[in-house]
Amino acid sequence: ELERRRWIAEAKFLKAYYHYFLLRMYGPIPIVRESLPISAGIEEVKVYREPIEECMAYILQLLDEAVVDLPERIEAEETELGRITQVICLAVKAQALTLNASPLFNGNPDYASFTDNRGVQLFTATYDHEKWLLAAEALKKAIDLAHSVGNKLYYYSENDPNGAMVSERTNLTMNIRGAVTAKWNPEMIWANPNDLVTSQQ
């Protein structure tokens, strides 16, 4: 039962993530709450885009439903690295709320007249400061959970015996480089576990 609930949570997370990815690329998108049958006709697949607030609400709802049945951290690292954790879920939620609070979607006057052919307004024209507070709260929650399970910023000098022997500028450069290149360093929250070099052999 635990494994079943985890799979369902992972599916909900991925559904939220893919909707969020589309929203980032295209703004308001159609919300596909139920999978369409393979036999669906032309009229069934002609669906309207939802207003940005409804798109975001659906994404956040799925993430909130998913997080409770996801593990805090991956225990079987040899076989499960890359699977979804609570930290990943909360990080995506925080990112989505930050985008929602940003000037791009939060009262952007350039989108004030952006409507569909029914006259439905797809962007909120009014700025809402409360969105920044929600984003800040979500970011803090994601960071706190990440710290509690062992994630932290990568520092070259802590991870390489030669770190103390290089200049401050070089150390800073290595901090930034290592954060994305040092394999499975503690700063990584969601990375691709596949080694392309070995998988091609």
Side-chain angles (χ1 to χ4, degrees):
E1 181 59 25
L2 286 174
E3 187 72 4
R4 177 180 175 275
R5 292 210 309 266
R6 183 179 177 188
W7 287 349
I8 291 170
E10 287 174 334
K12 286 182 178 180
F13 169 85
L14 290 172
K15 192 169 185 180
Y17 180 72
Y18 293 135
H19 276 84
Y20 171 57
F21 191 81
L22 290 170
L23 181 138
R24 276 193 330 184
M25 297 291 292
Y26 303 110
I29 56 169
I31 297 297
V32 183
R33 291 174 174 82
E34 301 293 336
S35 298
L36 293 172
I38 195 71
S39 59
I42 293 174
E43 292 307 313
E44 288 177 90
V45 299
K46 283 184 175 180
V47 292
Y48 278 96
R49 292 190 286 175
E50 303 277 349
I52 200 78
E53 294 297 323
E54 292 181 30
C55 294
M56 194 60 69
Y58 179 65
I59 291 165
L60 297 174
Q61 174 197 332
L62 286 175
L63 293 172
D64 286 339
E65 289 174 6
V67 73
V68 294
D69 289 318
L70 294 169
E72 281 191 352
R73 56 173 292 128
I74 297 298
E75 299 297 338
E77 293 188 352
E78 301 81 11
T79 57
E80 293 193 343
L81 277 177
R83 288 185 73 179
I84 308 305
T85 63
Q86 287 185 9
V87 177
I88 295 168
C89 191
L90 291 182
V92 170
K93 180 180 178 180
Q95 188 182 50
L97 283 167
T98 303
L99 177 66
N100 197 42
S102 74
L104 180 63
F105 292 150
N106 192 2
N108 186 341
D110 292 339
Y111 293 138
S113 60
F114 200 85
T115 61
D116 63 21
N117 62 10
R118 301 169 299 175
V120 174
Q121 189 169 21
L122 297 176
F123 289 90
T124 304
T126 308
Y127 172 78
D128 183 0
H129 179 70
E130 182 70 22
K131 291 180 179 181
W132 281 115
L133 300 178
L134 292 172
E137 182 183 337
L139 287 160
K140 181 71 165 66
K141 189 172 180 182
I143 291 169
D144 287 346
L145 181 59
H147 284 169
S148 75
V149 299
N151 292 111
K152 61 181 182 177
L153 294 179
Y154 173 88
Y155 291 104
Y156 172 68
S157 58
E158 292 178 6
N159 297 281
D160 191 294
N162 300 316
M165 300 169 60
V166 300
S167 71
E168 187 176 331
R169 183 180 176 88
T170 301
N171 205 350
L172 176 61
T173 302
M174 296 304 289
N175 287 344
I176 296 168
R177 179 183 299 166
V180 294
T181 61
K183 192 170 185 179
W184 296 112
N185 71 69
E187 189 167 328
M188 290 188 184
I189 291 174
W190 190 20
N192 183 353
N194 296 319
D195 185 339
L196 297 179
V197 175
T198 56
S199 65
Q200 290 174 355
Q201 294 176 351

